Amino acid sequence: MNNLLIVEDHFLIGREIFKAAKEARKIENIRLTDSLQEAISLLTKTKFEVVILDLNLPDGNGIELLKWLKEKQIETKVFVFSASIALKRSCLKNGAQAFFDKANDFDALIETIKNTSLESPSSLN
């Protein structure tokens, strides 16, 4: 994995994901943003193989980003990391590869990042 985007509005959680991901594997570029609009801006300029996505953002909902990615046909693996368990089905329906519960699944999220294929999604069949 070369590029990882973390979309998380809670600074401490975002920082912990950042640190754990950096320790888990060599990633050339990790970007951390706390807003939907900045995430969209970054995704239009840079190819991110993986996006870690919170759903409750100050300027919108992460599901909006999932729909935007699908509409723009931007291929990236999206791992939702949220306390909004009720939205899990909607996230998966809109293109998320996995959903992790903030209350229980931090270690599972980091393990998934560590084990994620280096190939871009378009090369996976």
Side-chain angles (χ1 to χ4, degrees):
M1 174 186 347
N2 294 322
N3 295 314
L4 169 68
L5 175 61
I6 302 165
V7 185
E8 171 60 63
D9 67 331
H10 190 281
F11 175 75
L12 294 176
I13 294 171
R15 188 177 69 186
E16 288 304 309
I17 296 169
F18 186 98
K19 284 178 12 186
K22 198 163 189 80
E23 291 171 8
R25 63 183 310 158
K26 291 189 186 232
I27 301 171
E28 288 178 18
N29 180 30
I30 302 177
R31 296 294 305 264
L32 175 59
T33 181
D34 62 359
S35 77
L36 182 64
Q37 290 308 311
E38 187 178 1
I40 289 171
S41 176
L42 289 166
L43 284 158
T44 58
K45 298 175 193 161
T46 304
K47 166 84 173 122
F48 289 93
E49 284 77 19
V50 175
V51 176
I52 307 301
L53 178 62
D54 185 14
L55 294 181
N56 298 316
L57 300 167
D59 60 344
N61 187 298
I63 293 175
E64 294 173 52
L65 184 63
L66 288 169
K67 291 178 180 178
W68 180 85
L69 288 166
K70 189 185 282 188
E71 176 188 308
K72 299 294 183 189
Q73 298 180 342
I74 296 174
E75 294 190 26
T76 185
K77 295 174 186 170
V78 180
F79 302 132
V80 175
F81 188 56
S82 178
S84 303
I85 305 290
L87 297 174
K88 179 178 180 176
R89 181 174 292 159
S90 182
C91 292
L92 297 174
K93 184 180 90 174
N94 283 291
Q97 271 63 39
F99 187 101
F100 298 90
D101 176 9
K102 272 189 180 177
N104 302 305
D105 296 338
F106 181 82
D107 291 340
L109 171 67
I110 300 309
E111 192 64 27
T112 300
I113 293 169
K114 192 187 319 185
N115 295 321
T116 296
S117 170
L118 296 175
E119 299 176 36
S120 67
S122 60
S123 64
L124 302 176
N125 291 329

